[in-house]
Amino acid sequence: SPAVHPAIAPLSYLLGSWKGQGEGGFPTINSFSYGEQLHFSHSGKPVIAYTQKTWKLNSGEPMHAESGFWRPKPDGTIEVVIAQSTGLVEVQKGTYNAEEQVINLQTELVGNASKVKEITRVFRLVDGELSYEVQMATNLNSLQPHLKASLKRV
Ligand code: HEM
């Protein structure tokens, strides 16, 4: 496989596959649990390719899926584009801290979303587990949690 581009080296801890469980909720919906797998890969270019899929824990039936590209910059900023299976698209901008292994993303743009106004995503690597929290704001509700999950390397 090609050498990791220096631009993505600070986030090379993401590369590979992660699997685990998450929990979702929002004031307007019933809370739910889900299974999830993430995959981060690279081709030697200064970009990390990202795919995600989720499923119902009891039946394995597919739920949400998404994919995109993560572009960390040497100055500690990062741009992420994500296309969701629901048709929604996100452009996220944020920062990463390579020492603390934390990534913070905030909405620059949400497209083709009737209700969603804003999305934030925080990823943390703690003791070898990758966890994240997703918050969203809708036309009716202010920014608050929709998803959290914890994933182990597979
Ligand atoms: C509901 C957005 C990821 C499962 C919703 C709603 C929105 C939304 C706008 C409706 C809330 C309302 O009516 O007030 C998003 C966004 C996501 C995301 C922006 C990613 C950033 C996920 C994922 C799953 C999921 C990964 C499953 C693993 C659900 C479920 C509901 C829901 C089960 C309630 C039932 C339904 O409306 O289908 N989501 N979602 N969502 N979401 Fe998400």
Side-chain angles (χ1 to χ4, degrees):
S1 61
V4 168
H5 192 284
I8 70 162
L11 297 187
S12 60
Y13 65 86
L14 292 173
L15 295 171
S17 294
W18 301 85
K19 192 174 181 182
Q21 287 189 16
E23 289 173 16
F26 208 64
T28 46
I29 65 173
N30 292 321
S31 58
F32 60 94
S33 299
Y34 58 96
E36 178 167 46
Q37 184 145 11
L38 307 185
H39 185 68
F40 294 93
S41 61
H42 80 106
S43 60
K45 295 181 76 72
V47 54
I48 297 172
Y50 160 76
T51 60
Q52 178 252 33
K53 63 178 181 179
T54 60
W55 57 87
K56 292 187 178 177
L57 286 171
N58 52 0
S59 63
E61 183 187 334
M63 294 179 78
H64 178 110
E66 61 190 32
S67 65
F69 297 97
W70 298 40
R71 307 182 67 87
K73 304 295 157 76
D75 66 359
T77 62
I78 179 168
E79 299 176 5
V80 175
V81 294
I82 295 177
Q84 301 191 8
S85 56
T86 52
L88 184 155
V89 297
E90 287 171 68
V91 176
Q92 298 273 9
K93 297 220 172 157
T95 56
Y96 65 89
N97 184 316
E99 288 74 40
E100 297 183 5
Q101 298 179 315
V102 179
I103 303 164
N104 269 287
L105 303 176
Q106 287 105 29
T107 301
E108 173 88 357
L109 178 155
V110 178
N112 201 28
S114 53
K115 295 181 177 176
V116 180
K117 300 300 173 201
E118 187 183 352
I119 299 166
T120 65
R121 299 176 181 249
V122 181
F123 290 79
R124 287 188 186 83
L125 186 72
V126 178
D127 296 333
E129 282 205 6
L130 184 64
S131 65
Y132 71 78
E133 293 174 20
V134 172
Q135 301 202 33
M136 67 176 172
T138 63
N139 51 349
L140 296 178
N141 289 92
S142 61
L143 190 70
Q144 58 198 287
H146 183 38
L147 308 165
K148 64 175 181 184
S150 185
L151 308 153
K152 289 189 162 72
R153 197 176 273 290
V154 289

